[in-house]
Amino acid sequence: MIKYSDFLEKIQKKETTCVDFTREILDNIEKNKHLNVFITVCGEKALAQAAESDKRFSEGNPRKLEGMIVAVKDNISTKGIRTTCASRMLENFEPIYDATAVERLMAEGAIIIGKTNLDEFAMGSSNETSYFGNVLNPINNEYTPGGSSGGSAAAVAAGLCHVALGSDTGGSVRQPAAFCGTIGLKPTYGRISRWGLVAFASSLDQIGILSADAADTARMLDVISGADAKDSTCANMPPSQTFDRLSNSPEKFTFGVISNELLNNCSTDIIDAYNFYVEKLKSLGGEPRVISLTNPKIWIPTYNILATAEASSNLSRYDGVRYGFRAEGEDDFVTRTRSEGFGMEVKRRIMLGTFVLSSGYYDAYYTKAQKARRLIYDDYNRIFNEVDVLLMPTTPTPPFKIGEKINDPIAMYYSDLFTISANLAAIPAISFPAGSSADGLPIGLQLQSKHYNEDILLQLSNALSK
Ligand code: GLN
């Protein structure tokens, strides 16, 4: 993995230039083609941006992210650069505008190196539902990199970028970060504009950041967060200022520890890592308190009703008239476009979502799930009156093998057990690297905190990495 801070040092010592460095990365991408990380590589554009960065450095006026190599998940809109959502439906779709996050990072001198592979429309936990084929975990190629931001996590882990953008609707930044040994931050809902993020479940979706280093995540967050007139669900707040405060980790804090009953859903590798990090947090000045979460059993059902309901509505726009793929011929072309354009998992979710929204079942499923979501939200509010942060596993197990769960959707959905509650409660959460399993595979653990308190998550992750 490569860190932007190390790169800046090399630039200052004149040991490299942005153009040379970008070339090196492009070579590495070529050498790692078998991982299937990128759907599109933006070589020429990246080199042009790098030349501009070199000029800025030599003139002594670099911008905040000058020369930072960024990979962008391919469900985030990039002007003139194909944005596919890893779907046949958008195989050749070129947006006419940049996502706000992309616009902001480019305005500060970051270089877009390419668009990363993902589960189709961000639906999945293994990157196996992509129309462009699955991604291999760079640590061990027999394993999945997690999903749906599997390409972004693999890009960071394989050193093919400094920082990657992902999206997290139910864990899609944190789970692949855990599987690939990187940091993955899902900010508070509304912290980063969703303008240009292709909608999956709009009330849960949030752009997130994957990187090797809390400092790099903080730098990126400070640039892309903050109010945006183009997204009415984006909080009317100034951008974060976490980078400057990164070392101000609190000397005393309280942290929540989950009950053994909940922890016992995990494999022993994860339980051991969890207990080890309880001690580490204590050594940083943390006081543990056992927290009872009143309703973990309802997390997965609630998520699967709300996420599929919203997805079925959001995806109705792909009809062959307005965007992307259109089936041949005139008769029934809408039906055929959708049958041929979407993959299995996406269809499953559209059908589930349509069912829970249908008039006879709306109250029994959708209304009930909305009420359940409120309980989860209130539960977290209660918890964060008691503690500053909550320590959770990111995943119940270390990475699983390619093919292991793809034919068992329920087992796949359960791998999100510990991540989806943060989306339902709209709180920020971070997955940080927490050692490896007996088989040498990465393990991640998660810290969650109250709304808009990304600072403490990055401060503690930074302190824990020392
Ligand atoms: N794995 C979850 C799902 O398939 C989360 C996806 C996401 O966060 N985009 O729904």
Side-chain angles (χ1 to χ4, degrees):
M1 291 199 274
I2 53 175
K3 294 182 182 174
Y4 180 64
S5 25
D6 295 343
F7 162 80
L8 277 185
E9 227 180 278
K10 281 193 188 161
I11 290 277
Q12 265 136 27
K13 292 191 192 147
K14 304 224 184 300
E15 289 170 9
T16 189
T17 65
C18 297
V19 169
D20 286 348
F21 194 76
T22 305
R23 283 223 175 89
E24 238 174 80
I25 296 278
L26 288 168
D27 282 350
N28 264 340
I29 291 176
E30 193 54 40
K31 281 186 203 128
N32 284 286
K33 245 186 156 158
H34 62 285
L35 298 176
N36 201 20
V37 165
F38 287 95
I39 293 176
T40 305
V41 178
C42 314
E44 256 170 56
K45 277 194 179 149
L47 286 168
Q49 284 177 286
E52 164 74 15
S53 291
D54 279 331
K55 194 167 144 247
R56 295 264 187 162
F57 275 121
S58 69
E59 289 167 359
N61 62 347
R63 296 162 287 180
K64 284 186 191 149
L65 305 178
E66 201 68 70
M68 179 190 268
I69 310 274
V70 180
V72 177
K73 186 175 181 179
D74 209 20
N75 63 346
I76 299 176
S77 191
T78 43
K79 186 175 173 178
I81 302 170
R82 178 165 86 119
T83 299
T84 67
C85 293
S87 180
R88 184 180 187 197
M89 196 59 103
L90 294 175
E91 189 176 0
N92 299 308
F93 176 64
E94 269 189 21
I96 53 170
Y97 61 89
D98 281 320
T100 296
V102 169
E103 194 178 278
R104 288 182 181 172
L105 66 88
M106 282 172 61
E108 289 296 350
I111 297 169
I112 309 259
I113 199 77
K115 304 294 301 286
T116 56
N117 205 340
L118 64 149
D119 281 296
E120 186 178 3
F121 283 102
M123 297 176 187
S125 307
S126 65
N127 222 119
E128 292 170 287
T129 72
S130 167
Y131 176 63
F132 296 91
N134 62 305
V135 175
L136 310 185
N137 189 318
I139 314 298
N140 181 331
N141 293 176
E142 287 174 25
Y143 289 80
T144 80
S148 63
S149 312
S152 288
V156 172
L160 310 180
C161 63
H162 289 120
V163 174
L165 293 188
S167 67
D168 192 312
T169 305
S172 279
V173 163
R174 290 162 286 155
Q175 186 253 22
F179 278 16
C180 294
T182 80
I183 294 185
L185 173 71
K186 180 203 91 74
T188 311
Y189 183 81
R191 200 76 188 83
I192 298 175
S193 168
R194 289 184 299 111
W195 175 258
L197 169 65
V198 177
F200 160 10
S202 316
S203 78
L204 301 160
D205 296 341
Q206 182 61 199
I207 288 180
I209 303 165
L210 298 108
S211 79
D213 182 31
D216 290 351
T217 300
R219 281 182 204 268
M220 176 60 86
L221 181 69
D222 290 354
V223 166
I224 65 178
S225 61
D228 179 15
K230 291 178 185 145
D231 173 8
S232 60
T233 63
C234 186
N236 192 10
M237 289 172 83
S240 62
Q241 288 182 301
T242 308
F243 181 68
D244 291 337
R245 295 199 279 246
L246 198 62
S247 48
N248 307 354
S249 174
E251 273 166 29
K252 294 230 166 306
F253 62 94
T254 49
F255 68 98
V257 174
I258 59 173
S259 69
N260 286 334
E261 196 192 337
L262 186 54
L263 195 58
N264 282 339
N265 290 300
C266 300
S267 66
T268 48
D269 287 324
I270 305 278
I271 297 175
D272 291 348
Y274 190 88
N275 292 327
F276 182 78
Y277 274 84
V278 168
E279 295 307 314
K280 271 199 110 168
L281 284 171
K282 280 197 214 164
S283 73
L284 292 179
E287 183 200 314
R289 299 208 184 138
V290 178
I291 286 296
S292 74
L293 288 148
T294 42
N295 42 37
K297 283 202 179 85
I298 66 175
W299 293 345
I300 287 184
T302 304
Y303 172 81
N304 280 293
I305 292 169
L306 296 179
T308 54
E310 293 185 32
S312 73
S313 165
N314 275 325
L315 270 58
S316 65
R317 74 190 68 176
Y318 304 102
D319 53 10
V321 179
R322 287 167 286 192
Y323 304 89
F325 175 74
R326 176 179 179 146
E328 299 283 320
E330 298 294 319
D331 290 344
D332 289 340
F333 81 86
V334 173
T335 309
R336 283 185 298 106
T337 294
R338 290 169 67 78
S339 302
E340 292 164 31
F342 289 132
M344 222 6 213
E345 183 61 26
V346 173
K347 284 181 195 161
R348 177 163 25 237
R349 302 218 187 180
I350 292 173
M351 285 164 67
L352 258 170
T354 306
F355 175 75
V356 300
L357 289 176
S358 60
S359 62
Y361 294 99
Y362 188 92
D363 284 337
Y365 291 102
Y366 185 72
T367 307
K368 188 116 182 220
Q370 290 287 26
K371 290 179 180 168
R373 183 176 188 178
R374 169 55 74 172
L375 293 178
I376 297 163
Y377 190 93
D378 289 346
D379 204 31
Y380 269 109
N381 279 344
R382 171 184 63 80
I383 288 168
F384 293 125
N385 277 329
E386 289 173 39
V387 293
D388 296 311
V389 291
L390 175 63
L391 180 66
M392 288 257 266
T394 306
T395 56
T397 64
F400 45 85
K401 285 201 165 148
I402 293 165
E404 194 178 320
K405 296 195 177 172
I406 193 67
N407 295 318
D408 187 351
I410 303 283
M412 191 73 94
Y413 296 168
Y414 269 83
S415 69
D416 303 325
L417 175 63
F418 293 105
T419 48
I420 56 188
S421 52
N423 302 75
L424 290 163
I427 56 168
I430 197 165
S431 178
F432 62 88
S436 40
S437 70
D439 303 333
L441 298 161
I443 286 179
L445 293 175
Q446 196 182 184
L447 286 170
Q448 305 182 332
S449 74
K450 68 177 176 206
H451 300 117
Y452 303 109
N453 203 354
E454 285 81 11
D455 276 11
I456 197 170
L457 300 182
L458 284 160
Q459 287 164 343
L460 289 175
S461 305
N462 188 47
L464 285 169
S465 71
K466 301 276 183 272

